[in-house]
Amino acid sequence: ILEMPKSPLLLNHVGTIHASVQFALAEAGSGEFLLRHLGEAQSQVFAVLRSSDVKFRKPAHGALRASARFAGGDADSLSAELSSRGRALASVLVEVTDAHGVVTMSGQYDWFLQRQTNPA
């Protein structure tokens, strides 16, 4: 979904990619994943991150890549729930891998979505 190039500005005190950089990439990746799923309807949906649960697995080196997918059956029911109830919760699972293909972080990002009647 999203990639971040290698940069010395992203390093922590031990020379690996900082945890906050990985978290931000994963969170942004989960949001981008939702936007792509919503397609043209995204302009009519207000979305805000409600919670997250992440685990840092290995030190990260070099460029990073975030991949995302829905947890459980969220993909099938999200659009239907937004249409019928006007709101929904969506859980997105994200993995961050480094330049060596090592999974450095994984997490679940839970989003609250609400259909807007008058989008700005």
Coordinates of all heavy atoms in Angstrom, one line a residue, residues 23-112:
F23 N 5.2 3.1 13.0 CA 3.8 3.2 13.4 C 3.1 4.2 12.5 O 2.0 3.9 12.0 CB 3.7 3.8 14.9 CG 2.3 3.9 15.3 CD1 1.7 2.9 16.0 CD2 1.6 5.1 15.1 CE1 0.3 3.0 16.4 CE2 0.3 5.2 15.5 CZ -0.3 4.1 16.2
A24 N 3.7 5.3 12.2 CA 3.1 6.3 11.3 C 2.8 5.7 9.9 O 1.8 5.9 9.3 CB 3.9 7.5 11.2
L25 N 3.8 5.0 9.4 CA 3.6 4.4 8.0 C 2.5 3.4 8.1 O 1.7 3.3 7.1 CB 5.0 3.7 7.6 CG 4.9 2.9 6.3 CD1 4.7 3.9 5.1 CD2 6.2 2.1 6.1
A26 N 2.4 2.5 9.1 CA 1.4 1.5 9.2 C 0.0 2.2 9.3 O -1.0 1.8 8.7 CB 1.6 0.6 10.4
E27 N -0.1 3.2 10.2 CA -1.4 3.9 10.3 C -1.8 4.6 9.0 O -3.0 4.5 8.6 CB -1.2 5.0 11.4 CG -2.6 5.6 11.8 CD -2.9 6.9 11.0 OE1 -1.9 7.5 10.4 OE2 -4.0 7.2 10.9
A28 N -0.9 5.2 8.4 CA -1.2 5.8 7.1 C -1.6 4.8 6.0 O -2.5 5.0 5.2 CB 0.0 6.7 6.6
G29 N -0.9 3.6 6.1 CA -1.2 2.5 5.2 C -2.6 2.0 5.4 O -3.4 1.7 4.5
S30 N -3.0 1.9 6.7 CA -4.4 1.4 7.0 C -5.4 2.4 6.5 O -6.5 2.0 5.9 CB -4.5 1.1 8.5 OG -4.6 2.3 9.2
G31 N -5.2 3.7 6.6 CA -6.1 4.7 6.1 C -6.2 4.7 4.6 O -7.3 4.8 4.0
E32 N -5.0 4.6 3.9 CA -5.0 4.5 2.5 C -5.8 3.3 2.0 O -6.5 3.3 1.0 CB -3.6 4.5 2.0 CG -3.5 4.4 0.5 CD -4.0 5.5 -0.3 OE1 -4.2 6.6 0.2 OE2 -4.4 5.3 -1.5
F33 N -5.6 2.1 2.7 CA -6.3 0.9 2.4 C -7.8 1.1 2.4 O -8.6 0.7 1.5 CB -5.9 -0.2 3.3 CG -6.6 -1.5 3.1 CD1 -6.3 -2.3 2.1 CD2 -7.7 -1.9 3.9 CE1 -6.9 -3.5 1.9 CE2 -8.3 -3.1 3.8 CZ -8.0 -3.9 2.7
L34 N -8.3 1.8 3.5 CA -9.7 2.1 3.6 C -10.2 3.0 2.5 O -11.3 2.8 1.9 CB -10.0 2.8 4.9 CG -10.2 1.9 6.1 CD1 -10.4 2.7 7.4 CD2 -11.3 0.9 6.0
L35 N -9.4 4.1 2.2 CA -9.8 5.0 1.1 C -10.0 4.2 -0.2 O -10.9 4.5 -1.0 CB -8.8 6.1 0.9 CG -8.8 7.1 2.1 CD1 -7.6 8.1 1.8 CD2 -10.1 7.8 2.2
R36 N -9.0 3.3 -0.5 CA -9.1 2.6 -1.8 C -10.3 1.6 -1.8 O -11.0 1.5 -2.8 CB -7.8 1.7 -2.0 CG -6.6 2.6 -2.3 CD -5.4 1.7 -2.5 NE -4.2 2.6 -2.6 CZ -3.0 2.1 -2.9 NH1 -2.8 0.8 -3.1 NH2 -2.0 2.9 -3.1
H37 N -10.7 1.1 -0.6 CA -11.8 0.2 -0.5 C -13.1 1.0 -0.7 O -14.0 0.6 -1.4 CB -11.9 -0.5 0.8 CG -13.2 -1.3 1.0 ND1 -13.3 -2.5 0.4 CD2 -14.3 -1.1 1.7 CE1 -14.5 -3.0 0.7 NE2 -15.1 -2.1 1.5
L38 N -13.2 2.2 -0.2 CA -14.4 3.1 -0.3 C -14.5 3.6 -1.7 O -15.6 3.9 -2.1 CB -14.3 4.2 0.7 CG -14.5 3.8 2.2 CD1 -14.1 5.0 3.1 CD2 -15.8 3.2 2.4
G39 N -13.4 3.8 -2.4 CA -13.5 4.3 -3.8 C -14.1 5.7 -3.9 O -13.8 6.6 -3.1
E40 N -15.1 5.9 -4.8 CA -15.7 7.2 -5.0 C -16.5 7.6 -3.8 O -16.8 8.8 -3.6 CB -16.6 7.2 -6.2 CG -15.7 7.1 -7.5 CD -16.6 7.1 -8.8 OE1 -17.8 7.5 -8.7 OE2 -16.1 6.7 -9.8
A41 N -16.9 6.7 -2.9 CA -17.8 7.0 -1.8 C -16.9 7.6 -0.6 O -17.5 8.2 0.3 CB -18.4 5.7 -1.2
Q42 N -15.6 7.7 -0.8 CA -14.8 8.2 0.3 C -15.1 9.7 0.6 O -14.9 10.1 1.8 CB -13.3 8.0 0.0 CG -12.8 8.8 -1.2 CD -11.3 8.6 -1.4 OE1 -10.5 9.3 -0.9 NE2 -11.0 7.6 -2.3
S43 N -15.5 10.4 -0.4 CA -15.9 11.8 -0.1 C -17.1 12.0 0.8 O -17.4 13.0 1.3 CB -16.0 12.6 -1.4 OG -17.2 12.1 -2.1
Q44 N -17.9 10.9 0.9 CA -19.1 10.9 1.7 C -18.9 10.2 3.1 O -19.9 10.0 3.8 CB -20.2 10.2 0.9 CG -20.5 10.9 -0.4 CD -21.3 10.1 -1.3 OE1 -21.6 8.9 -1.1 NE2 -21.8 10.6 -2.4
V45 N -17.7 9.9 3.4 CA -17.5 9.1 4.7 C -16.4 9.9 5.5 O -15.3 10.2 5.0 CB -17.0 7.7 4.4 CG1 -16.6 7.0 5.6 CG2 -18.0 6.9 3.6
F46 N -16.8 10.1 6.7 CA -15.8 10.6 7.7 C -15.2 9.4 8.4 O -15.9 8.5 8.9 CB -16.6 11.5 8.7 CG -15.8 11.9 9.9 CD1 -14.8 12.9 9.8 CD2 -15.9 11.3 11.1 CE1 -14.1 13.3 10.9 CE2 -15.1 11.7 12.2 CZ -14.2 12.7 12.1
A47 N -13.9 9.4 8.5 CA -13.2 8.3 9.1 C -12.1 8.8 10.1 O -11.4 9.7 9.8 CB -12.5 7.4 8.1
V48 N -12.1 8.2 11.3 CA -11.1 8.5 12.3 C -10.6 7.3 13.0 O -11.4 6.3 13.2 CB -11.7 9.6 13.3 CG1 -12.9 9.0 14.1 CG2 -10.7 10.1 14.2
L49 N -9.3 7.3 13.3 CA -8.7 6.1 13.9 C -9.3 6.1 15.4 O -9.2 7.1 16.1 CB -7.2 6.2 13.9 CG -6.5 5.1 14.5 CD1 -6.7 3.8 13.7 CD2 -5.0 5.4 14.7
R50 N -9.8 4.9 15.8 CA -10.3 4.8 17.1 C -9.3 4.1 18.1 O -9.2 4.5 19.2 CB -11.6 3.9 17.0 CG -12.3 3.8 18.3 CD -13.6 3.1 18.1 NE -14.3 3.0 19.4 CZ -15.4 2.3 19.5 NH1 -16.0 1.7 18.5 NH2 -16.0 2.2 20.7
S51 N -8.6 3.1 17.6 CA -7.6 2.4 18.5 C -6.6 1.7 17.6 O -6.9 1.5 16.4 CB -8.3 1.5 19.5 OG -8.9 0.4 18.8
S52 N -5.5 1.3 18.2 CA -4.5 0.5 17.5 C -3.9 -0.4 18.5 O -3.8 -0.1 19.7 CB -3.5 1.4 16.8 OG -2.8 2.1 17.8
D53 N -3.4 -1.5 18.0 CA -2.6 -2.5 18.8 C -1.5 -3.0 17.9 O -1.7 -3.6 16.9 CB -3.5 -3.6 19.3 CG -2.8 -4.6 20.2 OD1 -1.8 -4.2 20.8 OD2 -3.2 -5.8 20.2
V54 N -0.3 -2.6 18.3 CA 0.9 -3.0 17.4 C 1.9 -3.8 18.2 O 2.0 -3.7 19.4 CB 1.5 -1.7 16.8 CG1 0.5 -0.9 16.0 CG2 2.2 -0.8 17.9
K55 N 2.7 -4.5 17.4 CA 3.8 -5.3 18.0 C 5.0 -5.0 17.1 O 5.0 -5.3 15.9 CB 3.5 -6.7 18.1 CG 4.6 -7.5 18.7 CD 4.2 -9.0 18.9 CE 5.4 -9.7 19.6 NZ 5.0 -11.1 19.9
F56 N 6.1 -4.6 17.7 CA 7.4 -4.4 17.0 C 8.1 -5.7 17.1 O 8.4 -6.2 18.2 CB 8.2 -3.2 17.6 CG 7.4 -1.9 17.4 CD1 6.6 -1.4 18.4 CD2 7.5 -1.3 16.2 CE1 5.9 -0.3 18.2 CE2 6.8 -0.1 16.0 CZ 6.0 0.4 17.0
R57 N 8.5 -6.3 16.0 CA 9.0 -7.7 15.9 C 10.5 -7.8 15.8 O 11.1 -8.6 16.4 CB 8.3 -8.5 14.8 CG 6.8 -8.5 15.0 CD 6.1 -9.3 13.9 NE 4.7 -9.5 14.2 CZ 4.2 -10.4 15.1 NH1 5.0 -11.2 15.7 NH2 2.9 -10.4 15.3
K58 N 11.0 -7.0 14.9 CA 12.5 -7.1 14.6 C 13.0 -5.6 14.3 O 12.2 -4.8 13.8 CB 12.8 -7.9 13.3 CG 12.3 -9.4 13.4 CD 13.3 -10.2 14.1 CE 12.9 -11.7 14.1 NZ 13.8 -12.5 14.7
P59 N 14.3 -5.4 14.4 CA 14.8 -4.1 14.0 C 14.6 -3.9 12.5 O 14.7 -4.8 11.7 CB 16.3 -4.2 14.4 CG 16.4 -5.2 15.4 CD 15.3 -6.2 15.1
A60 N 14.3 -2.6 12.1 CA 14.0 -2.3 10.7 C 15.2 -1.6 10.1 O 15.8 -0.7 10.7 CB 12.8 -1.4 10.6
H61 N 15.6 -2.0 8.9 CA 16.7 -1.4 8.1 C 16.3 -1.1 6.7 O 15.7 -1.9 6.0 CB 17.9 -2.4 8.1 CG 18.3 -2.9 9.4 ND1 19.2 -2.2 10.2 CD2 18.0 -4.0 10.2 CE1 19.4 -2.8 11.3 NE2 18.7 -3.9 11.4
G62 N 16.7 0.1 6.3 CA 16.4 0.5 4.9 C 15.0 1.0 4.6 O 14.3 1.4 5.5
A63 N 14.6 0.9 3.4 CA 13.3 1.3 3.0 C 12.2 0.4 3.6 O 12.5 -0.8 3.9 CB 13.2 1.2 1.4
L64 N 11.1 1.0 3.9 CA 10.0 0.2 4.5 C 8.8 0.1 3.6 O 8.6 1.0 2.8 CB 9.5 0.9 5.8 CG 10.6 1.1 6.9 CD1 10.0 1.8 8.1 CD2 11.1 -0.3 7.3
R65 N 8.0 -0.9 3.8 CA 6.8 -1.1 3.0 C 5.6 -1.6 3.9 O 5.8 -2.5 4.7 CB 7.0 -2.1 1.9 CG 5.8 -2.4 1.1 CD 6.1 -3.5 0.0 NE 5.1 -3.4 -1.0 CZ 5.2 -3.2 -2.2 NH1 6.4 -3.0 -2.7 NH2 4.2 -3.2 -3.0
A66 N 4.5 -0.9 3.8 CA 3.3 -1.3 4.6 C 2.3 -2.0 3.7 O 2.0 -1.5 2.6 CB 2.7 -0.1 5.3
S67 N 1.8 -3.2 4.1 CA 0.8 -3.9 3.4 C -0.4 -4.0 4.4 O -0.2 -4.2 5.6 CB 1.2 -5.2 2.9 OG 1.7 -6.0 3.9
A68 N -1.6 -4.0 3.8 CA -2.8 -4.0 4.7 C -3.9 -4.9 4.1 O -3.9 -5.2 2.9 CB -3.4 -2.6 4.8
R69 N -4.8 -5.4 5.0 CA -5.9 -6.2 4.7 C -6.9 -6.1 5.8 O -6.6 -5.7 6.9 CB -5.5 -7.7 4.4 CG -5.0 -8.4 5.7 CD -4.6 -9.8 5.4 NE -3.9 -10.4 6.5 CZ -4.5 -11.0 7.5 NH1 -5.8 -11.1 7.6 NH2 -3.7 -11.5 8.5
F70 N -8.2 -6.3 5.5 CA -9.2 -6.3 6.5 C -9.1 -7.5 7.4 O -8.7 -8.6 7.0 CB -10.6 -6.4 5.9 CG -11.1 -5.1 5.3 CD1 -11.3 -4.9 3.9 CD2 -11.3 -4.0 6.1 CE1 -11.7 -3.7 3.4 CE2 -11.8 -2.8 5.6 CZ -12.0 -2.6 4.2
A71 N -9.4 -7.3 8.7 CA -9.5 -8.3 9.7 C -10.8 -9.0 9.5 O -11.8 -8.3 9.4 CB -9.3 -7.8 11.1
G72 N -10.9 -10.3 9.6 CA -12.1 -11.0 9.5 C -12.9 -10.7 8.3 O -12.4 -10.6 7.2
G73 N -14.2 -10.6 8.4 CA -15.1 -10.4 7.3 C -15.5 -8.9 7.0 O -16.5 -8.6 6.4
D74 N -14.6 -8.0 7.5 CA -15.0 -6.6 7.4 C -15.2 -6.1 5.9 O -16.0 -5.3 5.7 CB -13.9 -5.7 8.0 CG -14.0 -5.7 9.6 OD1 -14.9 -6.3 10.1 OD2 -13.1 -5.1 10.2
A75 N -14.4 -6.7 5.0 CA -14.5 -6.2 3.6 C -15.9 -6.5 3.1 O -16.5 -5.6 2.4 CB -13.5 -7.0 2.8
D76 N -16.6 -7.6 3.4 CA -17.9 -7.9 2.9 C -19.0 -7.0 3.5 O -20.0 -6.7 2.9 CB -18.2 -9.4 3.1 CG -17.2 -10.3 2.4 OD1 -16.7 -9.9 1.4 OD2 -17.0 -11.4 3.0
S77 N -18.9 -6.7 4.8 CA -20.0 -6.0 5.5 C -19.8 -4.5 5.6 O -20.8 -3.9 6.0 CB -20.1 -6.7 6.9 OG -18.9 -6.4 7.6
L78 N -18.6 -4.0 5.4 CA -18.4 -2.6 5.6 C -19.3 -1.7 4.8 O -20.0 -0.8 5.4 CB -16.9 -2.2 5.3 CG -16.6 -0.7 5.5 CD1 -16.8 -0.3 7.0 CD2 -15.1 -0.5 5.2
S79 N -19.4 -1.9 3.5 CA -20.3 -1.0 2.7 C -21.7 -1.2 3.0 O -22.5 -0.2 3.1 CB -20.1 -1.4 1.2 OG -18.8 -1.0 0.8
A80 N -22.2 -2.4 3.3 CA -23.5 -2.7 3.7 C -23.9 -2.0 5.0 O -25.0 -1.4 5.1 CB -23.8 -4.2 3.8
E81 N -23.0 -2.1 6.0 CA -23.3 -1.4 7.3 C -23.3 0.1 7.1 O -24.1 0.8 7.8 CB -22.2 -1.9 8.3 CG -22.5 -1.5 9.7 CD -21.6 -2.1 10.7 OE1 -20.8 -3.0 10.3 OE2 -21.7 -1.7 11.9
L82 N -22.4 0.7 6.3 CA -22.4 2.1 6.1 C -23.7 2.5 5.5 O -24.3 3.6 5.8 CB -21.2 2.5 5.3 CG -19.9 2.8 6.0 CD1 -18.8 3.0 5.0 CD2 -20.1 4.0 6.9
S83 N -24.2 1.7 4.5 CA -25.5 2.1 3.8 C -26.7 2.0 4.8 O -27.5 2.8 4.8 CB -25.7 1.2 2.6 OG -24.7 1.4 1.7
S84 N -26.7 0.9 5.5 CA -27.9 0.6 6.4 C -27.9 1.4 7.7 O -28.9 2.0 8.1 CB -28.1 -0.8 6.7 OG -27.0 -1.3 7.5
R85 N -26.8 1.5 8.4 CA -26.7 2.2 9.7 C -26.1 3.6 9.6 O -26.3 4.4 10.5 CB -25.9 1.3 10.6 CG -26.5 0.0 10.9 CD -25.7 -0.8 12.0 NE -25.7 -0.1 13.2 CZ -24.6 0.0 14.0 NH1 -23.5 -0.6 13.7 NH2 -24.7 0.7 15.1
G86 N -25.4 3.9 8.5 CA -24.8 5.2 8.4 C -23.4 5.3 9.1 O -22.8 6.3 9.1
R87 N -23.0 4.2 9.8 CA -21.7 4.2 10.4 C -21.3 2.7 10.5 O -22.0 1.8 10.4 CB -21.8 4.8 11.8 CG -22.7 4.0 12.8 CD -22.8 4.7 14.1 NE -23.6 3.9 15.0 CZ -24.8 4.2 15.4 NH1 -25.4 5.3 14.9 NH2 -25.4 3.4 16.3
A88 N -19.9 2.6 10.8 CA -19.4 1.2 10.9 C -18.0 1.3 11.5 O -17.4 2.4 11.6 CB -19.2 0.7 9.4
L89 N -17.6 0.2 12.0 CA -16.2 0.0 12.5 C -15.5 -0.9 11.6 O -16.0 -1.9 11.1 CB -16.2 -0.6 13.9 CG -16.9 0.2 15.0 CD1 -16.9 -0.6 16.3 CD2 -16.1 1.5 15.2
A90 N -14.3 -0.5 11.3 CA -13.4 -1.4 10.4 C -12.1 -1.6 11.0 O -11.4 -0.7 11.5 CB -13.2 -0.6 9.0
S91 N -11.7 -2.9 11.0 CA -10.4 -3.3 11.5 C -9.5 -3.6 10.4 O -9.8 -4.5 9.6 CB -10.5 -4.4 12.5 OG -11.2 -4.1 13.7
V92 N -8.3 -3.0 10.4 CA -7.4 -3.2 9.3 C -6.1 -3.8 9.9 O -5.5 -3.2 10.8 CB -7.1 -1.9 8.5 CG1 -6.0 -2.1 7.4 CG2 -8.3 -1.3 7.9
L93 N -5.6 -4.9 9.4 CA -4.4 -5.5 9.8 C -3.3 -5.0 8.9 O -3.4 -5.0 7.6 CB -4.4 -7.0 9.7 CG -5.5 -7.7 10.6 CD1 -5.6 -9.2 10.3 CD2 -5.3 -7.3 12.0
V94 N -2.1 -4.6 9.5 CA -1.0 -4.0 8.7 C 0.3 -4.7 9.1 O 0.5 -5.0 10.3 CB -0.9 -2.5 8.9 CG1 0.3 -1.9 8.1 CG2 -2.2 -1.8 8.6
E95 N 1.1 -5.0 8.1 CA 2.5 -5.5 8.3 C 3.4 -4.5 7.7 O 3.2 -4.1 6.5 CB 2.7 -6.9 7.7 CG 2.1 -8.0 8.5 CD 2.6 -9.4 8.0 OE1 3.1 -9.5 6.9 OE2 2.5 -10.3 8.8
V96 N 4.5 -4.2 8.4 CA 5.6 -3.4 7.8 C 6.8 -4.3 7.6 O 7.2 -5.1 8.5 CB 6.0 -2.3 8.8 CG1 7.2 -1.5 8.3 CG2 4.8 -1.3 9.0
T97 N 7.3 -4.3 6.4 CA 8.5 -5.0 6.1 C 9.6 -4.1 5.7 O 9.4 -3.0 5.2 CB 8.3 -6.0 5.0 OG1 7.8 -5.3 3.8 CG2 7.3 -7.1 5.4
D98 N 10.9 -4.5 6.0 CA 12.0 -3.6 5.6 C 12.6 -4.0 4.3 O 12.1 -4.9 3.6 CB 13.0 -3.6 6.8 CG 13.8 -4.9 6.9 OD1 13.7 -5.8 6.1 OD2 14.6 -5.0 7.9
A99 N 13.8 -3.4 4.0 CA 14.4 -3.6 2.7 C 14.8 -5.1 2.5 O 15.0 -5.5 1.3 CB 15.6 -2.7 2.6
H100 N 15.0 -5.8 3.6 CA 15.4 -7.2 3.5 C 14.2 -8.2 3.5 O 14.4 -9.4 3.6 CB 16.3 -7.6 4.6 CG 17.5 -6.7 4.7 ND1 18.5 -6.7 3.8 CD2 17.8 -5.7 5.6 CE1 19.4 -5.7 4.1 NE2 19.0 -5.1 5.2
G101 N 13.0 -7.7 3.5 CA 11.8 -8.5 3.5 C 11.4 -9.0 4.9 O 10.5 -9.8 5.0
V102 N 12.0 -8.5 5.9 CA 11.8 -8.9 7.3 C 10.5 -8.1 7.8 O 10.4 -6.9 7.7 CB 13.0 -8.6 8.2 CG1 12.7 -8.9 9.6 CG2 14.2 -9.4 7.7
V103 N 9.6 -8.9 8.4 CA 8.4 -8.2 9.0 C 9.0 -7.6 10.3 O 9.4 -8.3 11.3 CB 7.3 -9.2 9.3 CG1 6.2 -8.5 10.1 CG2 6.8 -9.8 8.1
T104 N 8.9 -6.3 10.4 CA 9.5 -5.5 11.5 C 8.4 -5.1 12.5 O 8.7 -4.9 13.7 CB 10.3 -4.3 11.1 OG1 9.4 -3.4 10.4 CG2 11.4 -4.7 10.1
M105 N 7.2 -5.0 12.0 CA 6.1 -4.5 12.9 C 4.8 -5.1 12.3 O 4.6 -5.2 11.1 CB 6.0 -3.0 12.9 CG 5.1 -2.4 13.9 SD 4.5 -0.8 13.4 CE 2.9 -1.2 13.0
S106 N 3.8 -5.4 13.2 CA 2.5 -5.7 12.7 C 1.5 -5.1 13.7 O 1.8 -4.8 14.8 CB 2.3 -7.3 12.7 OG 2.5 -7.8 13.9
G107 N 0.3 -4.8 13.2 CA -0.7 -4.2 14.0 C -2.1 -4.2 13.5 O -2.3 -4.6 12.3
Q108 N -3.0 -3.9 14.4 CA -4.4 -3.8 14.0 C -4.8 -2.3 14.3 O -4.6 -1.8 15.3 CB -5.3 -4.7 14.8 CG -6.7 -4.6 14.4 CD -7.6 -5.7 15.1 OE1 -7.2 -6.8 15.0 NE2 -8.7 -5.3 15.6
Y109 N -5.4 -1.7 13.2 CA -5.9 -0.3 13.3 C -7.4 -0.4 13.2 O -7.9 -0.8 12.2 CB -5.2 0.5 12.3 CG -3.7 0.7 12.5 CD1 -2.8 -0.3 12.1 CD2 -3.2 1.8 13.2 CE1 -1.5 -0.1 12.4 CE2 -1.9 2.0 13.4 CZ -1.0 1.0 13.0 OH 0.3 1.2 13.3
D110 N -8.1 0.1 14.2 CA -9.5 0.1 14.2 C -10.1 1.5 13.9 O -9.7 2.5 14.6 CB -10.1 -0.4 15.6 CG -9.6 -1.8 15.9 OD1 -9.5 -2.6 15.0 OD2 -9.3 -2.1 17.1
W111 N -10.9 1.6 12.9 CA -11.4 2.9 12.4 C -12.9 3.0 12.6 O -13.6 2.0 12.5 CB -11.1 3.0 10.9 CG -9.7 3.2 10.5 CD1 -8.8 2.2 10.4 CD2 -9.0 4.4 10.3 NE1 -7.6 2.7 10.1 CE2 -7.7 4.1 10.0 CE3 -9.4 5.7 10.3 CZ2 -6.8 5.0 9.7 CZ3 -8.5 6.7 9.9 CH2 -7.2 6.3 9.7
F112 N -13.3 4.2 13.0 CA -14.7 4.5 13.0 C -15.1 5.3 11.8 O -14.4 6.3 11.4 CB -15.1 5.4 14.3 CG -16.5 5.9 14.3 CD1 -17.5 5.1 14.6 CD2 -16.7 7.2 13.9 CE1 -18.8 5.6 14.6 CE2 -18.0 7.7 13.9 CZ -19.1 6.9 14.2

